[in-house]
Amino acid sequence: MENLINEILLFIKKCDEEISQNLFLIENSYKAKEYLELLKQAKEENNLTFLDATIKKLDSIIKQIDSVNYHTFDNENILNLVSLSVTDFIIGLIKDKHLVEPVLIARYAYIELAKVLYYDISYVKQKDINGKRKIYDATVNVKKEKIFSYVVCTQWLQLYTYILKQFGLNVIKKSIPGQDHVWGEIELDDKQIIVVDATDYINSSIDLSNAKSMSPTVGFAVLPKEYSNIKLYDIFNNKDNKELANKIKDYFKLNRDLDITLKYITEKGYPVEKIIQENELFHYSKEIIKIPSDISRFLNCAKNFFKKLKIPNNMDGYEIFAYYNMFIKKLPLNIIANISAETLYVDSFSYKIKKLRKQFLHVPNEYLKYLDGLIYSRYYKYLSEEENNAFLEQMKKGILNGEQVRDLIAKKELIIAEINRKISLYYAINKLHFYEPMTAETIGIQLYEPMMGVKNFTNQEEYNEFKKTMFLE
């Protein structure tokens, strides 16, 4: 017993040190759960106050680690987040990190917020300006918005601004007249600003994806004040701005130093850089493979690479497009030509909610309510405030149990259908398609979205059969 206690105390000390360095290692959670079970057994024979305190401490460690690493719809993990707003979560992380330098606070908040939000791809798929405007103008409660919510630029900026305000930093809203995008600027001093833009697709990349994979970001830049009001998308997506883009890239180098200071990375660089450096597949970037047998070998190796590539925590089917693209663009040119990457857009209501119901039919009521709230919050942004409150408040107060929630959802489907006639809400599935050189025959198709995971097909026929049910079940 004494040896076990000493072992656990050393383990707790190790976890505290690692968490203070922002290292939320999932293996520590597994180990803590093992120790927790042992202590609960010991408590049956020795009802000591010391054991109670140690059990509570282990439970706290598990909750911290599992919350940060949440991405598998684990029942217990999600329950730790039910009452936690996304802004409270990030503010707590910053305080625990004991950050005082404005640039470090801004960088840390930028990365951590991007890890726990998703881009609402419904915005880009609207057929008319009124639908876009409804999503763009939808209000967000900065104190209550949930972790893993869907946002566009306007809502992201409000959440980020609120977080930084708690630390005395002012984020200035920026936009270009006539355009429907906003971003932020932070004045560090009379010489420097920070440009922050996590939701725009800049140079084929978006930071809601880059933060989740801990890759170099494209929307955070500490710049001289003369660069105030620049829109990073315009700089990097217009070939006429090549010279200015190269100057901005030089300022991105500071991000690497900041990430080392924050212990996101080491001197060895970002995870994606390490994967590229260590894999032969990417040693022939911009080259053309000429020997037919080598072409076939490279293509099959690329297909197997993406099949086995670990998906970063919390990444959805829209964001993974940018992650995959980092690797695809490093392949030989004629290998790239035989891989197509695209995002499939499916109706959020008919696909995602039905998937959730099927997958979580027997989970705890609180968990079901949390999931329903996450999905339905997107719709209820467009309902009247009174109806919104009447439904969600019953869930929040526990008046409704899991079965009643499901019944109520069924009754609300007519309302949702009416909203759908005005706003089409979508869910993203990533598709990688591999073609045989010369013949262009399909040699493999890979789909990814969090609830389905990675799903592979060996030919077009297999995929077509699956596609018949993919959006309906």
Side-chain angles (χ1 to χ4, degrees):
M1 177 71 172
E2 185 178 346
N3 289 338
L4 175 62
I5 294 297
N6 289 334
E7 183 181 328
I8 292 174
L9 291 177
L10 288 173
F11 170 77
I12 288 174
K13 182 181 178 182
K14 169 179 173 289
C15 288
D16 284 341
E17 290 173 353
E18 289 174 345
I19 289 174
S20 71
Q21 298 174 25
N22 199 40
L23 296 173
F24 297 86
L25 304 179
I26 198 67
E27 56 264 32
N28 285 345
S29 173
Y30 297 146
K31 191 66 178 175
K33 289 172 183 175
E34 291 177 10
Y35 283 139
L36 196 60
E37 288 304 311
L38 291 173
L39 286 185
K40 286 179 179 178
Q41 293 173 19
K43 191 173 181 297
E44 293 177 2
E45 300 177 5
N46 303 278
N47 193 13
L48 303 174
T49 304
F50 175 76
L51 288 179
D52 282 329
T54 309
I55 287 171
K56 288 180 180 178
K57 178 61 178 177
L58 285 172
D59 187 56
S60 174
I61 288 171
I62 292 167
K63 286 180 178 179
Q64 289 182 73
I65 295 173
D66 286 358
S67 295
V68 172
N69 284 281
Y70 159 71
H71 69 289
T72 55
F73 292 115
D74 183 282
N75 300 354
E76 294 178 1
N77 297 356
I78 195 69
L79 289 174
N80 297 326
L81 300 174
V82 168
S83 62
L84 192 62
S85 77
V86 67
T87 50
D88 283 346
F89 180 62
I90 303 302
I91 290 167
L93 289 178
I94 295 171
K95 289 180 178 178
D96 290 344
K97 194 78 171 169
H98 305 299
L99 299 176
V100 292
E101 291 184 41
V103 68
L104 289 177
I105 293 172
R107 178 65 176 174
Y108 189 67
Y110 184 87
I111 297 293
E112 294 301 323
L113 185 62
K115 285 182 181 179
V116 291
L117 291 177
Y118 295 120
Y119 186 76
D120 192 344
I121 51 105
S122 302
Y123 176 78
V124 300
K125 296 297 292 181
Q126 297 310 301
K127 295 178 181 178
D128 63 79
I129 191 65
N130 291 329
K132 281 193 170 186
R133 184 53 57 181
K134 282 179 179 292
I135 295 175
Y136 182 88
D137 291 337
T139 58
V140 58
N141 187 324
V142 294
K143 294 183 180 180
K144 296 182 180 180
E145 192 73 7
K146 291 180 179 179
I147 284 176
F148 307 121
S149 290
Y150 293 85
V151 299
V152 293
C153 58
T154 47
Q155 293 120 28
W156 173 84
L157 187 62
Q158 290 175 61
L159 294 169
Y160 185 73
T161 300
Y162 174 78
I163 291 167
L164 262 63
K165 186 177 181 181
Q166 311 313 305
F167 300 93
L169 297 176
N170 181 38
V171 182
I172 304 167
K173 180 179 177 180
K174 295 289 180 178
S175 63
I176 294 176
Q179 294 188 14
D180 56 358
H181 180 69
V182 297
W183 69 95
E185 270 188 23
I186 305 163
E187 290 187 2
L188 283 179
D189 49 43
D190 58 357
K191 294 182 179 180
Q192 286 185 309
I193 60 169
I194 306 176
V195 176
V196 288
D197 191 349
T199 62
D200 216 355
Y201 236 95
I202 301 167
N203 199 21
S204 301
S205 192
I206 182 171
D207 283 347
L208 290 178
S209 171
N210 295 327
K212 292 177 177 71
S213 63
M214 206 58 253
S215 301
T217 56
V218 292
F220 184 101
V222 180
L223 300 170
K225 203 165 185 178
E226 67 240 37
Y227 288 100
S228 180
N229 297 315
I230 69 163
K231 183 181 177 184
L232 291 172
Y233 176 92
D234 290 343
I235 302 301
F236 286 98
N237 292 64
N238 187 334
K239 292 180 180 179
D240 294 337
N241 294 324
K242 188 174 181 180
E243 186 177 340
L244 180 55
N246 288 331
K247 288 182 181 179
I248 301 293
K249 283 180 182 178
D250 285 337
Y251 290 107
F252 279 155
K253 293 175 183 177
L254 176 61
N255 290 344
R256 189 176 297 263
D257 295 332
L258 295 175
D259 290 345
I260 291 172
T261 300
L262 291 168
K263 293 185 169 59
Y264 283 129
I265 61 171
T266 66
E267 297 286 349
K268 294 181 180 179
Y270 294 92
V272 65
E273 295 172 338
K274 186 177 180 182
I275 294 171
I276 289 171
Q277 289 166 5
E278 294 178 352
N279 197 311
E280 184 203 358
L281 262 178
F282 309 108
H283 293 176
Y284 304 90
S285 180
K286 306 288 175 67
E287 295 184 23
I288 295 177
I289 305 299
K290 296 181 180 179
I291 301 173
S293 60
D294 286 345
I295 296 174
S296 180
R297 179 174 65 86
F298 262 87
L299 198 53
N300 278 305
C301 286
K303 184 164 60 108
N304 289 329
F305 170 81
F306 288 107
K307 184 177 181 179
K308 297 176 182 178
L309 181 64
K310 183 182 181 297
I311 308 300
N313 290 353
N314 310 328
M315 191 169 284
D316 73 358
Y318 177 72
E319 296 162 346
I320 204 168
F321 181 94
Y323 184 58
Y324 282 161
N325 187 60
M326 292 182 193
F327 300 107
I328 291 174
K329 68 184 181 181
K330 292 292 184 180
L331 291 167
L333 291 175
N334 53 334
I335 302 302
I336 295 174
N338 288 286
I339 302 174
S340 74
E342 65 175 313
T343 302
L344 305 178
Y345 297 95
V346 297
D347 177 78
S348 181
F349 184 69
S350 64
Y351 180 79
K352 191 169 185 180
I353 294 179
K354 288 182 181 180
K355 282 274 188 183
L356 285 173
R357 286 183 188 171
K358 184 176 179 181
Q359 186 168 352
F360 302 111
L361 195 60
H362 305 294
V363 300
N365 288 336
E366 285 298 320
Y367 182 43
L368 180 64
K369 286 190 287 184
Y370 179 81
L371 289 174
D372 282 327
L374 271 181
I375 305 304
Y376 270 81
S377 64
R378 300 178 70 191
Y379 291 95
Y380 282 94
K381 284 177 181 177
Y382 314 113
L383 293 176
S384 69
E385 187 67 23
E386 294 76 18
E387 187 165 8
N388 181 14
N389 287 340
F391 179 64
L392 295 183
E393 284 301 317
Q394 289 181 78
M395 292 173 61
K396 220 178 292 180
K397 293 176 181 178
I399 297 173
L400 302 171
N401 61 32
E403 290 183 2
Q404 290 171 319
V405 169
R406 284 192 289 271
D407 291 342
L408 219 128
I409 287 172
K411 294 176 183 177
K412 293 290 180 180
E413 287 186 1
L414 288 177
I415 298 173
I416 300 303
E418 178 62 30
I419 295 171
N420 256 339
R421 282 194 282 272
K422 298 176 182 177
I423 303 175
S424 299
L425 297 183
Y426 289 90
Y427 183 63
I429 298 174
N430 182 268
K431 179 186 177 186
L432 288 179
H433 201 140
F434 302 87
Y435 299 92
E436 182 72 42
M438 303 301 290
T439 66
E441 290 184 9
T442 297
I443 61 171
I445 295 175
Q446 177 175 303
L447 300 180
Y448 168 77
E449 61 91 3
M451 286 181 289
M452 176 172 60
V454 173
K455 194 169 186 65
N456 286 280
F457 306 89
T458 58
N459 55 56
Q460 186 70 46
E461 290 70 28
E462 278 186 18
Y463 171 70
N464 289 342
E465 284 302 310
F466 178 76
K467 187 178 179 181
K468 293 176 183 177
T469 62
M470 182 169 59
F471 310 147
L472 302 177
E473 294 183 356

